[in-house]
Every structure is written in structure tokens, then in C-alpha cells.
Amino acid sequence: MKNHTIRATLPAPDTDRCSAQNLRRPIMGNSLRPVSPPTRICRESGTPIASWTAPDGTATCLFQSDSLALWAIPASSEAPASVGTLPAKATAAVSTTEGIHIFTPDGVYTAAPDADGRWSLTAAYGQYPPVAIFPTEPRIHTAATPRLTLKGDYTSWSGAMDKTDIAMLGNSVMAALSEATAAAVADGCAAAPILAWYRLRDAAGRELFRSTPVMVTPDGIQGPGHVDVSVAVSSGSYRQVQPTAISVTGFRIGLRICDTDISHASRRAAVLELMTAPPADLVDYSATPYVTRLGHTATEGQLRIAIPRLAGQKALVPAMLDRLDEVSEVAAVIHDPFNPSGELYSSGIIADIPAEFNPGNTAKFLRNAMSGHTASDATTSILREISMPHTFTASVATVAGDITAYGGITPIHTLPMPINAAWIAGKSYGPWQAKVCVTLLNSRGQTERLCAESTGEGPIPEALLPMLSYPHPGAFRIDIELTTDGRTLSRSFPLTPTPASAAAYYVEPSLRPIPVSSFESTVSPMRAVTERKPVCHKSSVVVAATASPLTPAGTAAIDSAVTAITESRRSTSGIAFGRRHLYVFTMAGIHTVSVSSSMQMAVSAISSDGVDSSEAVAVGPEGVYAATPSGVICINGTRSTAVHPGIFKAIAWSPSFRELWCLPADGAAKPRPVIIDRFGHTYTRTDIAPKAFCAAPHTLFIASSSGFFNASREYADPDKPIAVSWCMRICVADDTVPRIRALTAVVGANDADLSIDLLGDNGTDKPHRFAGLAVVGGISAPLYLPVIAHPHRYVTISLYGHVSADTRITSFLLQTGQRLIF
């Protein structure tokens, strides 16, 4: 016979012969020690949203109550601070150095602390006063054709003209037109309709908003459609071509704030940039003009020289809309644009046109743009749908170094620009009210209606700028209604998608402003109610630079609905320089996503284990843990390792004790969390019933029905002992079934109320108690229990009771011989 030394240890992942409750193995040492309850930091209950870590390392947990109120609770506090109220339940959140961006079905909100640590809540995108863009300061710019002598013999005003003379006449007219246009450009003017828009940036240069582009022009297509010249008779022949003046109307671009109600969000706008595309100069300077004869007298004849237009002029506007960022230049920079004492607020700004917009640039652009037009694919379409001026919300989000990633993307389409941002004011004054409604088909073919209203007291709109557009190819109609002087006028404009599906647009055929007089009277006012039909792209992943986390830069599609995203703990590629790596979890499996510096993504599947939600994923120092239907796994690189076979609905990493907290999926009212230590061994806790977790780099927050707790900081109450239990069943049989003679328990405690039982069986798994001891008070030496009992093949050691926090449970020795050697 031999004695059995049994180390007091935690259950291994693959055994059911050992259990432990409220006992952990410390980071240093081998004995089991009781766990103290986590520190309560507030008594309010709610759903944790995200954690934020201050520069000094202090962690704060944001949580949302059932009333949608948002609260901030530091890890060391018992007094949560009110942050604000969200319009709906948060779906995801991402924490950056400046605060926490919170996603809701109604949009994105930012919670951030000020220098004094006071938290506030603002709409991430904000509402900014519309800025009107309009033509102003029209100026006439003129150039003259030179006096010319025709080479041909034209004694009669009939017959064909010499090709050399036709070319000379055309060149002289085109040169004069080019000179007049260049003079306008040199004067800071546009001499043709021009697309203009603006964007707002904050003090860090991040884009906050961009407007819908408008076409600015006072008179439509600039420059004459033809030029008439006189040819005087000399030596009996129509020979002397007289100089002819050619004029173009140049204009500059004006800006002014339409609405003087400056919102809180407007103070974030540090810079307004006016952006202009090349003027829609539809003259084809490379073509030869067509010359026709008009009337004549005995001393003079008239020639008409037609100005050649670009053959693809109808495609010019949509080509520019498809490549607006690519072709636009900064025409003006206005600092602190919404300052009530600034020029934009009071009198407005007049901007010059960039000097690089010279004659001929438009034709070159048109040729390049038309040759490169392709319809956008699905991922490009999603990216456009969520890029400014649109917004988006997400169901999961994470920060991975210098990139931010989102999954489960739902576009939120922007409202149309109000009418006073694209109008030409009239000379009549009085109150007016306007409505603009865009109707579109979303990606599911459902009809959305997006409406904006505006009012004014002053100049009444007289005309709209000649182009109406909306940044979504599914938009098919814009309805505009204007009420003034007791009359209500309305007009509906059909929209056409651009070739690359960047937008939908309407352009007045003449390129002249659209007069309000073309509207029709109506007796039934338009119902300006926004009706959204949000479509969630559940399998889409979007990435952005962390410096501008709400400006999407790349997207990819996964083969199933995205349920969680985390940063990869180690590189998954041998050529990982300049790349970021993500783990993307879905119901159907786990993927790695490699993100290049240009935000291009490559997706690879690494596991078929499905993950139900982001709560079932936790990031630890050894890898990323995931609770799957087959148990908890740990992923490192492209390899996954089984950790525990249990089924859990939520997991979280506790950094202070290097433990994985797991919330069982059994639906119990007060579930006992299962804790997995760094060796893969487990124990359960009864001191808290978690509802949800919120992890920070150095803190684990736990939400329960009785408040929030800091699991990384435990509190040992000397007046409140800790309930513990430990049980292990072992096989003690060799060739013959032994008789247990004694038990020695190596336990130490300043105070304890413990019971230790011995139970035996012979393979029935229904052990009966055959010996035991109880101890109350301090324990400073091993406990010895002599035993008189029948032989048992299996023996179960059970320890239970209440102990002080300093208790140590090290080992047990079963004596089966005649002497106890200890």
C-alpha cells in the first residue's frame, strides 16, 4: 500500500472529478486562496457601453440605463456622473484618445471628458448651418479678333471658301475667345458654369461635413454660340476681315451663412474650405469652327463663325460628380467660419477661382474622365453610402492601432441641402418657407424619403442654381416647394444616376438658373416627413484611420454576418510590414483580415467555429479568446487552441489576476461565473452575478443587477468571511482495494469555520460519507483526521465552509499504510 499526496488544485479543462468555488491559484505560489468580492463602484445598474482610459491610466466605464441615460463611472468611484441621454439603445462603441464614439440606430454620438474630467455628449456629425454658394460680381471680359486678309478670290458672295481662309477665320475667333476667357481667369473669375461645394474641418484637420455640390452660373453656358464678322470689299473682292469684339461674362463665387442659429456643433468647425471643379467650359478649342455666309451688300459681306462645342458636353457634369474629390481644388479657406463676428456670418465671403482653371483644361478632363468610367462594385457602393455627407452606424467596432474597424454597417442617408443653400435671391422681400424632399430606392429596393425645411425673412428666392443633385445613385426625384405671399409653388425634378453611381442629378438643359416662375401653384402642401428604411449590411467590414475614426476609407465583405471584430495579437503574415491585422468573427466562422496602408483588405478564413456576439470575444495577452458552440478557444496568429469545453454567452479578460471570466449560457437568474486561470484551470464564484462585462487595459468592469463592480480590485472585509468549497474524487485502488487510515489537510487560516469530509464509492459515482472533521477558529498546523472505514476504490475529499481572506489550502495526504509519514 502507498500513501496518496493530493495537491489542492483547480479543475483541469477536461475533468469533472474536481470542483472549486471562490478559490483561485495566485499568480505566485501553488496553494489555493479565497477570492475576495470585487469592489462595488456604483449602485446604479445598466448596460456597459465602453471603457475609456485617461492619459494617467485611470479607466472609466460608460454605461446606459434603461431610460437611455448615459453615465460615466471611474474605476475608483461610487458616484457616476451624468453624460447625457442617447436617443436609442447603443449598438456599438469605439474608444479613442479623445473620447468614445457611440453608435445608435439614429446616428453616432461622442462622449468625451473636458480638461476637468467632466463628461459631455454631442452628436458626432452635428448639425451645421447651411452655407449658400452663389454667383456674384459679374464682369465683362473682352478680346478682339485681328484684321485679316483672305487669301481666296471672292468677287461674288457665293461658292465655296478656301480651306485656308476657313482655318484662319476659325483660329482668330477661337484665339480671341480664349484670350477673353483667360482674362476672366486671371481676374479670379469663372467664365463658364462651375461646380462648387464646401467642407468643414476641425482644428485637427479632420473632415466634419461636406455639402452637396451646386452649379454656379449667372447666365448658363458662357461665351457666344457664334460670332458674326464683316468682310469689306477691296480691289473688287470680299477680302478685308474687320476686327470683331468677343466678350464673356466672368463671375466670382460668393458664400454666406443661411441660418444665423449657430448650434453647439458649429463651434467644432475650425475651417471651411470652398472647393471648385473645373468650369464647365463646353468650347472645344481643338476643333475647327464652321463658317457660313450671311447677307451681303456691294461693299460688305457677313460671315457667321460657329463656336464648336464639346461632343460629350452632356456627360461633363456627371463625369465631374463621379470624380468630385479628384478634380476639385481649394478656392478659399475660411477660418472660424461660424464665428458670429466673422465675415461669413455678417456679410459673406467672395472667393476667387483657382488660376489653374485655364481654357482647354475642361476638354482634357472630360476625355480622361470619360475613358475611365466604370460602374462601382458593391463594396464601393457601400463606402459611398456611408461617406460624408452620409453617416453610418455599426453593430460592432474596435480600434487596432492606427486603424478603426466596424462591422454590421447601416448607412444613414443625409438629408438634402435646404433650398437657401442653392438659390439666387430676388428683389422682393418678405417671409418665405421652403421644403426639399428627395425620394430614393435603397439597396433593397425600398423607398426612402428624406426632407429638409427652411424659412427666411428677407429676399425671396427668385431662382435655383441649374443643377440639383443627391449623393446616392438610387435617388430618382427631388420635390421642391416654396410658400410666399400667400402662394405655394412646387416643382418635381427627375434625377439620373451618374455613370459610376456616385450620385444622381438633374441639370437644366440651358445651364441657366431655374426660375421660380417655372413652378406650378399647388393647394395641397407637400408632406415634408423623413421616412428612412435603413438597410444593415451585416457581412460588411469597414476600416478608417484612428485619427479620423468616422471617415471610412476601405471596406470588404465577409461570407456571413459579422458578430465581433478585434485586433490580431500577432502578425498573420510573413510580409506584414505596413499592414494591420484583424480577427473578424461571424456566425459561420472566424477570419483574418489584412489591411494595407491604402486601406485595401484581404480576407482569409481560419476557423469554422461560429461566434454569436461581440460579448463572446475577449482580448488577452496570449491571444484572442472566443466562446463558440464547441467551447472556449484561444486564437493566436492563424491557429486556434481549445481552452475549455463549456458553453458561455459572454467572456472577458481580467488583467489584474490574469483570468478569463465566463458567463454561462444556461439562462440562470443569477449565473455563477466560471473563471479560467492562465493554466486553463477553472473555478466558480458566488460573490457576484454578472450581467455583462466591460474590459479596459488594466481594469475589468462587471455589470450586475446590484450595480457596477471593479473586478480588478477586490475588497477583503475582515468582518465578512468568504464562502469556499473544494472537492476532488480520486482512485486509490492498486491491486487490492486499500483501507484509508487517516487524512492530513495542509490548511492555514487566521479564522475559519470549515468542514472536511471523506466520501467513498466503488465505481457507482454515488459516494457516501465515511469520515469528517470540523474546525472553527484559527488554523496554524495541518489538520489530522484518523479514519476507521471499509475499503473504497474511489475517495472523494470535500472541503467547505467560511474562511478569512488570508486562508491557504495547499494539499491533502491520504494514509493507506500503518504509519503516517508527513
Side-chain angles (χ1 to χ4, degrees), residues 357-575:
F357 289 155
N358 291 316
N361 282 4
T362 303
K364 183 186 301 183
F365 162 75
L366 180 59
R367 287 193 296 269
N368 294 338
M370 293 303 296
S371 65
H373 264 151
T374 56
S376 59
D377 58 21
T379 55
T380 302
S381 298
I382 293 174
L383 195 61
R384 283 174 168 166
E385 271 198 273
I386 63 177
S387 297
M388 291 184 185
H390 303 297
T391 63
F392 70 98
T393 187
S395 60
V396 295
T398 193
V399 172
D402 59 356
I403 66 169
T404 306
Y406 307 96
I409 306 301
T410 301
I412 302 177
H413 299 135
T414 184
L415 298 180
M417 293 292 287
I419 193 174
N420 53 352
W423 68 321
I424 296 177
K427 298 178 181 179
S428 301
Y429 286 77
W432 57 268
Q433 180 182 10
K435 303 173 184 176
V436 180
C437 291
V438 170
T439 307
L440 63 84
L441 293 178
N442 62 24
S443 57
R444 284 187 184 158
Q446 300 167 318
T447 301
E448 288 192 27
R449 188 171 171 83
L450 306 163
C451 301
E453 296 186 73
S454 54
T455 58
E457 179 76 34
I460 298 174
E462 183 179 72
L464 304 179
L465 294 176
M467 184 187 75
L468 304 172
S469 69
Y470 184 80
H472 190 291
F476 60 87
R477 189 176 72 246
I478 289 183
D479 297 295
I480 298 178
E481 180 183 276
L482 177 65
T483 301
T484 182
D485 292 334
R487 296 187 308 152
T488 298
L489 305 173
S490 65
R491 183 173 170 182
S492 180
F493 299 88
L495 300 180
T496 302
T498 57
S501 301
Y505 71 101
Y506 168 85
V507 175
E508 190 72 357
S510 66
L511 297 189
R512 290 187 173 87
I514 304 166
V516 172
S517 60
S518 67
F519 288 26
E520 296 181 354
S521 296
T522 179
V523 294
S524 299
M526 185 166 64
R527 181 172 171 267
V529 177
T530 293
E531 299 173 348
R532 300 185 187 276
K533 300 290 178 60
V535 176
C536 180
H537 300 277
K538 296 180 180 180
S539 61
S540 292
V541 175
V542 168
V543 292
T546 301
S548 299
L550 301 179
T551 304
T555 182
I558 311 297
D559 58 7
S560 182
V562 177
T563 55
I565 301 178
T566 69
E567 182 178 13
S568 172
R569 303 308 293 170
R570 295 184 182 179
S571 169
T572 59
S573 171
I575 51 171

Side-chain angles (χ1 to χ4, degrees), residues 601-620:
M601 289 185 277
V603 181
S604 299
I606 61 172
S607 173
S608 60
D609 291 305
V611 174
D612 291 343
S613 68
S614 58
E615 288 76 20
V617 174
V619 178

Side-chain angles (χ1 to χ4, degrees), residues 756-789:
I756 300 177
D757 291 340
L758 284 177
L759 301 93
D761 70 274
N762 289 307
T764 63
D765 281 338
K766 294 180 180 180
H768 64 276
R769 181 178 180 274
F770 62 85
L773 65 82
V775 59
V776 177
I779 304 174
S780 58
L783 301 174
Y784 177 71
L785 172 65
V787 176
I788 300 176

